[in-house]
Amino acid sequence: MTTTIWLGRGLFAIVWGAMIANLVWPFPGKGFALFLILLFLLLCLHLVQLLMFATVYREHIQWRRGDYWQIVAFGVIGWMAIVQAQAKRQPPQTD
């Protein structure tokens, strides 16, 4: 699962890089408008995912500030990384 998460992060880094490159050096023709729409759509979808995950799992997950940014940047891949890291964040249970 760790390999899948890192591959997903790499893929999203490439996607975000293309979106930001379009802002810095506009693509010719209709590519500029297309990538602006895709950037807006990607950002909106990741913010909706953040809202859903933070609302539903607020009590079940130990949140850190970086977790919010991870979901905004990587979407479901970021969520998988947060869930995987929960075992390390939880203090050991004593009876």
Side-chain angles (χ1 to χ4, degrees), residues 4-64:
T4 306
I5 291 171
W6 281 106
L7 287 173
R9 284 178 178 170
L11 179 65
F12 269 110
I14 292 169
V15 169
W16 280 108
M19 303 288 179
I20 293 171
N22 182 47
L23 292 175
V24 177
W25 302 286
F27 296 157
K30 295 182 180 180
F32 176 71
L34 174 68
F35 273 82
L36 278 181
I37 292 169
L38 290 175
L39 175 65
F40 177 73
L41 186 65
L42 182 69
L43 189 59
C44 287
L45 289 175
H46 283 192
L47 289 173
V48 167
Q49 285 178 354
L50 174 63
L51 180 66
M52 289 184 337
F53 293 146
T55 307
V56 173
Y57 295 107
R58 185 177 310 260
E59 295 85 24
H60 306 291
I61 300 289
Q62 183 181 0
W63 289 91
R64 295 181 179 168

